[in-house]
């Protein structure tokens, strides 16, 4: 975890009615509770180092 920095947990969840919606994906290795960081071209886990590349989106004309 980061030393001396606060984690903005409100960015990971959203409340809809009486339900909590998780906005980020979970790490498939670590399981629920560990979110993947979203970068421009990949998702990565800071705990175990799991890396998943994003699929390039095709532009429709």
């Amino acid at each position: 975890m980061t030393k001396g920095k606060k984690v903005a947990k409100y960015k990971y969840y959203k409340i809809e009615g009486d339900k909590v919606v998780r906005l980020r994906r979970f790490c498939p290795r670590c399981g629920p509770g560990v979110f993947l960081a979203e970068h421009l071209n990949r998702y990565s886990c800071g705990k175990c180092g799991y890396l998943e590349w994003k699929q390039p989106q095709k532009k429709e004309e």
Side-chain angles (χ1 to χ4, degrees):
M1 202 42 102
T2 58
K3 293 183 181 180
K5 292 185 180 180
K6 301 252 180 188
V7 178
K9 294 178 185 175
Y10 66 92
K11 293 181 181 179
Y12 301 141
Y13 302 97
K14 183 170 121 181
I15 298 175
E16 291 181 354
D18 60 344
K19 295 187 178 187
V20 176
V21 178
R22 292 164 186 89
L23 300 175
R24 304 269 176 131
R25 299 171 54 183
F26 288 129
C27 177
R29 281 193 205 163
C30 298
V34 179
F35 292 105
L36 292 175
E38 186 173 353
H39 299 279
L40 290 175
N41 58 353
R42 67 192 184 281
Y43 296 102
S44 62
C45 177
K47 186 174 181 181
C48 69
Y50 176 78
L51 183 69
E52 185 175 308
W53 294 98
K54 290 184 180 180
Q55 299 297 324
Q57 295 182 2
K58 296 179 181 177
K59 294 183 181 179
E60 294 182 22
E61 293 183 26

